C-alpha cells in the first residue's frame, strides 16, 4: 500500500485535465474540431511550434517546419508550445541552443498575439547515448524559463522508463509508436498491448509526475508498393489505458489524445473518447 500512496501523491501535482496535441503546420480549426474541444472539455492544446533538426551540412541544429497561425484557440483553452527535437541534435552539446529555442518561442507568441502561455514542452526520442546531453539541455531550458515562471514538460517514451528521470516538472508518457514498424504483419506498430506489457511494471516507481498520451491517428504507408493502413482499434487503446491505470492510478488525471484532426475525431465513437478521457 505504501507504494500506491507514494505514487499517488506524485501525479497529484498535475491538474486534472483533458488535452490534445496539435501537430499540423497551420493552426486552423474546422467546426468538427471546435466542437470536439468543447464536447470533451479540452483544457490544453499542446501545439507543435517547430521542429529542431540538424542543418544540411550537419554542423548545428536549426528550426524546421514552423507553424503559422490562421486561427486562434477558443477562449479558456491553454496553448502549450511544443518543440520536437531530433535525437541527433543531442549527440553533442550546442552552445546557446536552449536560449535560441526559448527566444524563438517567445517571439512567435508575441508576433501572433498568443498570451496566457505558462509552459513549454520539449519532445525528443533520447537514447542512452544522447540522454546526458539532452538532460543538460533541459536544465538550460529551465534556466531560461525560470524568470518567466513557465513550467517545462518533456515527452517520455516507454523505453525511456528504465532511465533516470529528466529534469522537468512532469513527463508525458507517449503510449504510441510502441511497435517495430518492420514487424507490421504481426503487430500494429502504433499500439499493441503486447508491446506495452513489458513496461507496465516500471510505471509505479517512475519518479516524475506523468500525464498520458494515447493515439487516435491513422498511419498510412507504402510497403513494397502496397498501401498499408494502421489504425488502432478502440478496444486496444482502452485495454492499454486500463492496464496502465491499474499499475499507476494517477495516470488517469491528465489525458492527451494525439492528435486533433477531423479524420481522427470521426474515426472513433463519442463513447470511445469519453472512455479515453475518463478520470
Amino acid at each position: 500500500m505504501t507504494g500506491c500512496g507514494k505514487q499517488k501523491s506524485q501525479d497529484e501535482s498535475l491538474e486534472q485535465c483533458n488535452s490534445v496535441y496539435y501537430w499540423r503546420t497551420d493552426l486552423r480549426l474546422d467546426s468538427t474540431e471546435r466542437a470536439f474541444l468543447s464536447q470533451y472539455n479540452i483544457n490544453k492544446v499542446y501545439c507543435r511550434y517547430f521542429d529542431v533538426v540538424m542543418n544540411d551540412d550537419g554542423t548545428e541544429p536549426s528550426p524546421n517546419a514552423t507553424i503559422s497561425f490562421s486561427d486562434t484557440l477558443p477562449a479558456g483553452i491553454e496553448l502549450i508550445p511544443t518543440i520536437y527535437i531530433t535525437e541527433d541534435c543531442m549527440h553533442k552539446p550546442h552552445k546557446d541552443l536552449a536560449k535560441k529555442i526559448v527566444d524563438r518561442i517567445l517571439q512567435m507568441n508575441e508576433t501572433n498575439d498568443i498570451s496566457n502561455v505558462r509552459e513549454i514542452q520539449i519532445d525528443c526520442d533520447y537514447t542512452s547515448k544522447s540522454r546526458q546531453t539532452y538532460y543538460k539541455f533541459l536544465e538550460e531550458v529551465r534556466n531560461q524559463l525560470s524568470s518567466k515562471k513557465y513550467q517545462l514538460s518533456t515527452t517520455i517514451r516507454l523505453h525511456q522508463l528504465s532511465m533516470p528521470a529528466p529534469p522537468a516538472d512532469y513527463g508525458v508518457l507517449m503510449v504510441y509508436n510502441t511497435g517495430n514498424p518492420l514487424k507490421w504483419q504481426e503487430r500494429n506498430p502504433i499500439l499493441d498491448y503486447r508491446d506495452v506489457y513489458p513496461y507496465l511494471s516500471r510505471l509505479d516507481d517512475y519518479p516524475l509526475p506523468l500525464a498520458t498520451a494515447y493515439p487516435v491517428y491513422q498511419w498510412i504507408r507504402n510497403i513494397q508498393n502496397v498501401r498499408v493502413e494502421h489504425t488502432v482499434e478502440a478496444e486496444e487503446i482502452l485495454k492499454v489505458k486500463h492496464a496502465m491505470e491499474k499499475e499507476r492510478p494517477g495516470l488517469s488525471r491528465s489525458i492527451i489524445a494525439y492528435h486533433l484532426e477531423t479524420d481522427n475525431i470521426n474515426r472513433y465513437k463519442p463513447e470511445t473518447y469519453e472512455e479515453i478521457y475518463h478520470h
Side-chain angles (χ1 to χ4, degrees):
M1 284 308 287
T2 53
C4 297
K6 174 196 70 180
Q7 175 265 306
K8 188 167 189 282
S9 58
Q10 237 161 264
D11 297 331
E12 281 189 349
S13 64
L14 296 177
E15 57 186 297
Q16 195 160 321
C17 68
N18 298 343
S19 314
V20 287
Y21 276 104
Y22 188 91
W23 217 259
R24 288 179 271 163
T25 49
D26 184 17
L27 183 67
R28 186 191 294 260
L29 301 172
D30 66 22
S31 56
T32 304
E33 290 155 357
R34 287 183 180 274
F36 180 90
L37 295 175
S38 159
Q39 185 177 350
Y40 299 102
N41 301 315
I42 302 298
N43 318 84
K44 295 179 178 180
V45 172
Y46 293 82
C47 180
R48 191 204 64 88
Y49 267 36
F50 52 90
D51 299 339
V52 177
V53 301
M54 288 305 285
N55 62 5
D56 289 342
D57 58 8
T59 50
E60 60 174 353
S62 63
N64 186 43
T66 301
I67 196 171
S68 49
F69 292 90
S70 298
D71 256 346
T72 53
L73 291 176
I77 295 183
E78 182 187 341
L79 183 148
I80 298 166
T82 301
I83 309 301
Y84 171 70
I85 298 186
T86 58
E87 192 263 345
D88 58 353
C89 292
M90 292 293 145
H91 287 178
K92 62 172 201 189
H94 297 279
K95 190 171 159 29
D96 295 333
L97 180 60
K99 183 179 187 332
K100 285 177 187 163
I101 288 173
V102 171
D103 286 351
R104 193 167 201 268
I105 292 168
L106 298 176
Q107 183 63 59
M108 286 172 67
N109 290 345
E110 202 175 313
T111 306
N112 296 288
D113 249 358
I114 297 163
S115 52
N116 183 29
V117 172
R118 301 178 302 185
E119 177 189 332
I120 285 174
Q121 181 167 109
I122 308 282
D123 173 18
C124 179
D125 190 1
Y126 58 91
T127 60
S128 47
K129 177 182 176 181
S130 51
R131 179 180 69 81
Q132 283 173 313
T133 303
Y134 181 60
Y135 285 14
K136 209 174 211 73
F137 161 77
L138 287 180
E139 277 167 16
E140 288 166 14
V141 172
R142 255 185 144 165
N143 291 341
Q144 294 290 324
L145 296 177
S146 59
S147 62
K148 310 240 166 330
K149 305 276 191 287
Y150 278 30
Q151 272 201 314
L152 173 66
S153 59
T154 185
T155 50
I156 310 283
R157 284 153 182 79
L158 292 171
H159 71 87
Q160 294 162 344
L161 287 171
S162 58
M163 304 181 201
D169 293 294
Y170 71 93
V172 172
L173 192 59
M174 284 174 43
V175 194
Y176 48 91
N177 295 352
T178 56
N180 179 345
L182 301 176
K183 297 187 175 169
W184 60 276
Q185 277 129 322
E186 305 153 37
R187 310 257 173 118
N188 187 323
I190 299 177
L191 183 64
D192 185 304
Y193 174 78
R194 292 168 293 179
D195 292 320
V196 175
Y197 178 77
Y199 299 100
L200 291 175
S201 59
R202 298 194 184 275
L203 285 173
D204 189 41
D205 288 336
Y206 195 73
L208 203 61
L210 290 173
T212 329
Y214 294 103
V216 293
Y217 62 93
Q218 185 175 43
W219 189 17
I220 298 171
R221 302 192 296 158
N222 251 339
I223 301 174
Q224 293 154 0
N225 296 326
V226 179
R227 182 183 149 104
V228 177
E229 295 183 10
H230 303 293
T231 302
V232 186
E233 297 292 332
E235 293 73 34
E236 195 75 6
I237 300 172
L238 299 175
K239 179 182 180 182
V240 169
K241 174 181 155 78
H242 295 149
M244 290 178 63
E245 290 173 4
K246 190 174 176 211
E247 292 296 323
R248 183 169 172 142
L251 291 180
S252 67
R253 288 185 69 78
S254 182
I255 302 284
I256 313 167
Y258 182 92
H259 55 112
L260 183 68
E261 198 164 59
T262 292
D263 286 351
N264 296 338
I265 294 168
N266 292 334
R267 184 165 293 119
Y268 298 101
K269 297 188 178 108
E271 303 87 88
T272 300
Y273 275 107
E274 277 158 26
E275 189 66 27
I276 288 172
Y277 283 124
H278 183 72
H279 296 288

